[in-house]
Amino acid sequence: MTWFVLRRLALLVLAIFVSSIVVFLLLRLLPGDLARVVGGTEATPEQIEAIREELGLNRPLLVQYLDWVGGMFQGDFGVSALNGETVTSELGKKLSVSAPLVLASTVLSILVAVPLGIAAGARHRRADGIALSAVSQLGIALPSFWVGLMLIIVFAVNWRLFPAQGFPLDGWEEPGAAVKALVLPTVTLALAQGAVLLRFVRSATLDVLHQDYIRTARAKGLTRTQALYRHGLRNASLPIISIIGVQVASLIAGIVVIERVFTLPGVGQMLVRDIGSRDLEKVQGTVLLIAIVVLVIGFLVDITHRLVDPRLRVTT
Amino acid sequence: MRELRPRSPRRLAAAALAAVLVLAACGDDDDDDGGAATESTAEDGTTAPEDTGAETTAPEGTAAPATTSGDTATTEGTTDGGDGGGEDVVIGAVLEPTSLDIVTVAGAALDQILLDNVYETLLKANFEGDISAGLADLPEVSEDGLTYTFTLQEGVTFHDGQPLTSADVKWSLEALSAEGATEAPELAAIDTVEAPDDQTVVVTLSEPDIDFTFQLTRRGGAVLPADSTGLENTANGTGPFVFDEWNVGSSISLTRNDDYWGDAPAVSGVTFLYFTDPNAAVNAFTTGDVDILTGVNTDLVGPLQENPDYVVNEGESTGEFTLGMNNSRPPFDNPDVRRAIRQAIDKEAYRELNNGFGTIIGGPVPPSDPWYEDLTDVAPFDPDAARTLLEGAGYGDGLDVTLKWPNFYPVTNAEFVASQLEEVGVNVTIETVEFAVWLEEVFTNADYDMTAVLHVEPRDIGNYANPDYYWRYDNPEVQDLYRQAKTSTDQETANDLFRQMARQVSEDSPVDWLGLAADLTVSRPEVTGYPTDNTASRFDASGITLGG
């Protein structure tokens, strides 16, 4: 076990190191640079050159990379060359919007999709099971920005139950207002996520239903439902948990859309904006920080898996 | 809306695809080795934001678009004011500045909020360009037009309490005209700035510049305290509002300057809220989160106009939506081809496409510039004439060109151009580009056939006298007229010369002008005293009253 943890830790460090190089180089492949964006449509070449010099964009790539990595060892993930805001402070602010959004929509989607998915799987030949399956298919097909707009029109513009857009300027100081601002975005995101999850839960349930151990359990006298709950769910849960993990990771793309539709000042909007203005130092710091968080979570999950599931310990 | 709709499904599809791919990768790895599985998710986490972001980015911090993108947010409408009574006014805007540094970072978004409100200029001008006193009285100008003597207003203090002196003005003019400053080209004529006493500033030019006083009504005339630093996220000016807070990606708020040397504003503060999505902006207005909405999308303004509870203002702007052509390479090195393009596009139909908003112009000058002249008859819409011109130029069998279209303008406009040109045998391939890419490929390297951009600057005719500008338009006669006009010391003479120049430019058709963008604002009727012209480049909030 210790050996495994050490090996896994080395992998983690290596993965972070590789990520930093990949992030740094990929961003340098983007055409256009910060100096030109700063200079705008009336700038002269001399002006651009002066700005570039000022911003340190003329330094060799290796020097820029080493400066950045060196800074990180001192806890400095980078500073926006445009507005002087540090990566850590702005990411913190944006996460106070995006993290609750991601968490709440994930939880909501699980609460809705898992029971419905199991039902749809268990009753896949009946009308209600088929109906559920069709509804989830529809949920996948509907673009989330459209769903968001519809929710805004009905619940915000017509009924005035929730704000149509935005997040309180003073953040979470008034938790009620903040929560209200996140309700519609959460529902929109959860619908998209839940529809996909429901499909997976349904097929995982179907899979399990045809396993030998269910047949054995039923032969021992359990009803189909009992067999499913006692033996099936545990086995079905492993792939479902993996899928939820993947979905959370892919949410970064989802929040770009949702944050725009609802004008939420979150991580997605921030990345889009910073990449647009080629504020690369800030983007690379932000992206790497997110990557590190994901990697560390993966590391912890692996360790936990190993502790919890005895089979994993035996096979290696 | 228009620009969101076509893009989003693709982005969703990409996200779904990414999820599926990662899933496939995990499916294989999960069972035997946890390490490999997390590696693949990590890779996804690091690369996905760039992929999605690169496609959807809005332009930032430049003199760019007034119609679509920007940034973010909020909710809580009007709130209680400060000490002197009054309420806060909330203004919805499109483009958020990327930095508050008014010295080195270009962008109308920055002028919109900071000029007049936080920073004041040496001189002031109304939309028609009549110049009046600002922080200084109108200057005394020497016979030869080279020496300008300014006397500063008494009793002006910066927001940090320091009095305004000539040393601040000297520092500001020098900083704004230094290499790397955005106003360096505009203030290029400045030779020396002297401060003989606290209230007097003497500027000597190296050659006369008829535009000099006008430039001092704009960013070039902004006065900052001497030796200002940290301009990127603070602002210390003399204006009626004090910079309060910048919620990056969301809002900028200003509070009333109770020690203002002029008439203090009626409102206790101003909050500018930024909206990336035009629908969200309109929703924020209709639900009362925003008092005044600027840059209203022309597609969404209809229902607002029909509603008697709202006042929609159709203001003028100085933004010429310019269809650029690369004069340095075939086919557009041939003036006949460029003229054919102009005659092939129906500007009236373009205006209809934008729901009847905007002004048709036939040349590089907007009506608010002093040397405006109606040039719409120089190359009127005439597809037959266009076909004949193309035939004469050897393109009777058709012509293929690429149109590099900045992705923050509605693609429907590009499609309109393409369909009009197809009628005369020009096949247009539309290639949408991100603004940073546009700046590199089109603006800097002139690697394009056709492009389009909104040129928002007033009195920007000088671009046509610069052969290195991205159109690569090079007519020595035009350059000569420009130099004569610019260095003349008499406004009437200058206006005449600029007019001649504009006519010549229009006849050469270096570009086409699709129209002058409309500047739409909306508010409730009791909200008054806000500007309605050119609101994307300048928004003086000091006169606003919220009424009942």
Side-chain angles (χ1 to χ4, degrees), chain B residues 144-231:
Chain B
D144 59 5
L146 291 178
T147 310
Y148 287 69
T149 307
F150 297 89
T151 306
L152 302 182
Q153 312 293 352
E154 302 274 348
V156 180
T157 54
F158 285 101
H159 299 149
D160 66 359
Q162 295 298 311
L164 166 78
T165 70
S166 54
D168 302 311
V169 177
K170 176 178 156 69
W171 184 87
S172 302
L173 280 172
E174 286 172 352
L176 284 160
S177 59
E179 195 175 76
T182 60
E183 300 312 289
E186 279 75 17
L187 301 177
I190 294 182
D191 186 24
T192 59
V193 185
E194 282 155 58
D197 64 58
D198 273 0
Q199 296 301 114
T200 312
V201 179
V202 181
V203 181
T204 315
L205 306 184
S206 50
E207 59 177 354
D209 181 355
I210 195 70
D211 253 358
F212 182 60
T213 47
F214 180 70
Q215 293 305 336
L216 297 183
T217 69
R218 309 183 60 234
R219 194 191 273 209
V223 179
L224 293 70
D227 305 314
S228 291
T229 52
L231 291 173

Side-chain angles (χ1 to χ4, degrees), chain B residues 76-87:
Chain B
E76 300 304 291
T78 51
T79 51
D80 289 335
D83 302 325
E87 282 184 304

Side-chain angles (χ1 to χ4, degrees), chain B residues 342-386:
Chain B
R342 272 184 78 187
Q343 298 207 275
I345 299 174
D346 183 358
K347 308 304 183 302
E348 197 58 60
Y350 173 77
R351 203 167 163 268
E352 283 313 307
L353 179 73
N354 288 290
N355 301 299
F357 292 105
T359 312
I360 298 172
I361 47 168
V365 180
S368 52
D369 283 356
W371 42 84
Y372 171 76
E373 176 184 18
D374 186 353
L375 295 170
T376 45
D377 57 351
V378 172
F381 173 56
D382 186 347
D384 290 330

Side-chain angles (χ1 to χ4, degrees), chain A residues 59-294:
Chain A
R59 294 171 302 160
L61 277 190
L62 187 65
V63 174
Q64 293 186 37
Y65 177 76
L66 291 178
D67 273 2
W68 174 51
V69 172
M72 279 192 294
F73 278 108
Q74 296 154 22
D76 169 17
F77 278 80
V79 178
S80 162
L82 282 165
N83 58 33
E85 183 111 34
T86 63
V87 167
T88 33
S89 93
E90 205 190 334
L91 189 61
K93 282 185 217 164
K94 304 303 179 200
L95 276 177
S96 77
V97 178
S98 299
L101 177 60
V102 167
L103 274 178
S105 63
T106 304
V107 169
L108 184 62
S109 71
I110 293 170
L111 287 181
V112 175
V114 169
L116 289 183
I118 293 170
R123 306 166 73 88
H124 68 281
R125 286 211 183 84
R126 306 211 192 159
D128 49 358
I130 292 167
L132 267 176
S133 172
V135 168
S136 78
Q137 200 65 271
L138 188 67
I140 294 171
L142 291 176
S144 60
F145 74 87
W146 182 85
V147 173
L149 280 176
M150 291 305 119
L151 290 177
I152 290 174
I153 290 171
V154 175
F155 292 98
V157 176
N158 287 347
W159 293 351
R160 303 281 164 110
L161 288 176
F162 301 102
Q165 52 76 42
F167 194 72
L169 289 179
D170 49 8
W172 285 88
E173 261 164 49
E174 266 181 82
V179 167
K180 257 182 128 178
L182 289 181
V183 169
L184 293 183
T186 300
V187 171
T188 312
L189 208 50
L191 276 178
Q193 249 181 304
V196 175
L197 188 58
L198 196 151
R199 306 288 306 172
F200 278 113
V201 175
R202 177 177 173 275
S203 62
T205 311
L206 277 176
D207 254 8
V208 166
L209 279 177
H210 298 116
Q211 294 293 329
D212 291 343
Y213 54 78
I214 296 287
R215 200 176 47 194
T216 312
R218 296 206 58 193
K220 287 195 302 181
L222 292 181
T223 66
R224 214 171 75 112
T225 316
Q226 281 171 328
L228 188 61
Y229 277 94
R230 285 212 198 141
H231 304 280
L233 285 189
R234 277 191 210 180
N235 286 287
S237 67
L238 284 175
I240 291 173
I241 286 169
S242 303
I243 287 151
I244 292 171
V246 173
Q247 275 199 317
V248 172
S250 72
L251 274 180
I252 193 94
I255 60 172
V256 168
V257 180
I258 295 302
E259 287 178 358
R260 182 182 160 120
V261 171
F262 288 93
T263 327
L264 293 173
V267 177
Q269 292 260 63
M270 176 179 76
L271 280 171
V272 167
R273 197 185 63 239
D274 290 342
I275 293 168
S277 55
R278 295 292 186 269
D279 195 350
L280 298 188
E281 203 183 317
K282 175 122 174 287
V283 176
Q284 71 197 14
T286 309
V287 172
L288 188 67
L289 210 53
I290 294 173
I292 290 175
V293 170
V294 172

Side-chain angles (χ1 to χ4, degrees), chain A residues 143 145 256-257 260 272, chain B residues 1-15 51-59 68-69 276-277 405-411 432-434:
Chain A
F145 74 87
V256 168
V257 180
R260 182 182 160 120
V272 167
Chain B
M1 195 58 247
R2 271 202 185 132
E3 80 280 19
L4 180 64
R5 209 165 267 186
R7 229 178 282 133
S8 293
R10 235 190 302 144
R11 205 188 304 136
L12 281 173
D51 291 342
T52 45
E55 263 205 351
T56 59
T57 294
T68 42
S69 292
T276 329
D277 187 84
W405 190 263
N407 64 359
F408 43 83
Y409 301 127
V411 178
T432 53
V433 291
E434 209 195 341

Side-chain angles (χ1 to χ4, degrees), chain A residues 4 7-8 11 14-15 19-20 22-23 26-27 30-33 36-48 50-52 54 80-85 90 93-94 142-146 149 152-153 156-157 160 162-171 174 177 181 192 200 238-239 242-243 245-247 249-250 252-254 256-266 269-279 282-283 287-288 290-292 294-295 297-299 301-302 305-306 312 315-316, chain B residues 1 3-5 7-9 11-12 15 18-20 22-23 26 30-39 41-50 52-54 56-58 60-64 69-76 96-101 104-107 179-186 232-233 245-251 253 271 273-281 283-284 286-290 310 434-441 443-445 453-455 457 460 463 469-470:
Chain A
F4 170 79
R7 210 184 57 165
R8 193 58 191 74
L11 246 173
L14 184 71
S19 310
S20 76
V22 169
V23 169
L26 275 181
L27 287 175
L30 287 175
D33 76 12
R36 290 207 177 88
V37 175
V38 166
T41 54
E42 306 282 314
T44 60
E46 299 78 49
Q47 197 180 324
I48 299 294
I51 298 170
R52 199 168 281 150
E54 165 81 31
S80 162
L82 282 165
N83 58 33
E85 183 111 34
E90 205 190 334
K93 282 185 217 164
K94 304 303 179 200
L142 291 176
S144 60
F145 74 87
W146 182 85
L149 280 176
I152 290 174
I153 290 171
V157 176
R160 303 281 164 110
F162 301 102
Q165 52 76 42
F167 194 72
L169 289 179
D170 49 8
E174 266 181 82
F200 278 113
L238 284 175
S242 303
I243 287 151
V246 173
Q247 275 199 317
S250 72
I252 193 94
V256 168
V257 180
I258 295 302
E259 287 178 358
R260 182 182 160 120
V261 171
F262 288 93
T263 327
L264 293 173
Q269 292 260 63
M270 176 179 76
L271 280 171
V272 167
R273 197 185 63 239
D274 290 342
I275 293 168
S277 55
R278 295 292 186 269
D279 195 350
K282 175 122 174 287
V283 176
V287 172
L288 188 67
I290 294 173
I292 290 175
V294 172
L295 286 169
I297 291 175
F299 170 74
V301 166
D302 270 4
H305 256 243
R306 192 58 65 119
L312 287 172
T315 47
T316 18
Chain B
M1 195 58 247
E3 80 280 19
L4 180 64
R5 209 165 267 186
R7 229 178 282 133
S8 293
R11 205 188 304 136
L12 281 173
V20 169
V22 176
L23 188 65
C26 289
D30 244 349
D31 304 337
D32 43 79
D33 186 12
T38 29
E39 245 180 306
T41 23
E43 218 179 304
D44 177 57
T46 51
T47 54
E50 293 141 37
T52 45
T56 59
T57 294
E60 305 287 339
T62 68
S69 292
D71 250 27
T72 317
T74 192
T75 45
E76 300 304 291
E96 182 183 1
T98 49
S99 162
L100 299 185
D101 186 344
T104 57
V105 179
E179 195 175 76
T182 60
E183 300 312 289
E186 279 75 17
E232 67 272 14
N233 51 21
E245 194 188 8
W246 182 14
N247 230 318
V248 178
S250 167
S251 66
S253 32
T271 299
L273 288 184
Y274 294 99
F275 294 95
T276 329
D277 187 84
N279 277 298
N283 286 337
T286 51
T287 54
D289 293 342
V290 162
Y310 304 141
E434 209 195 341
F435 192 56
V437 175
W438 185 88
L439 284 170
E440 168 125 351
E441 291 181 358
F443 186 73
T444 309
N445 300 333
V453 95
L454 187 70
H455 284 274
E457 309 282 312
D460 51 5
N463 290 334
Y469 208 57
Y470 70 99

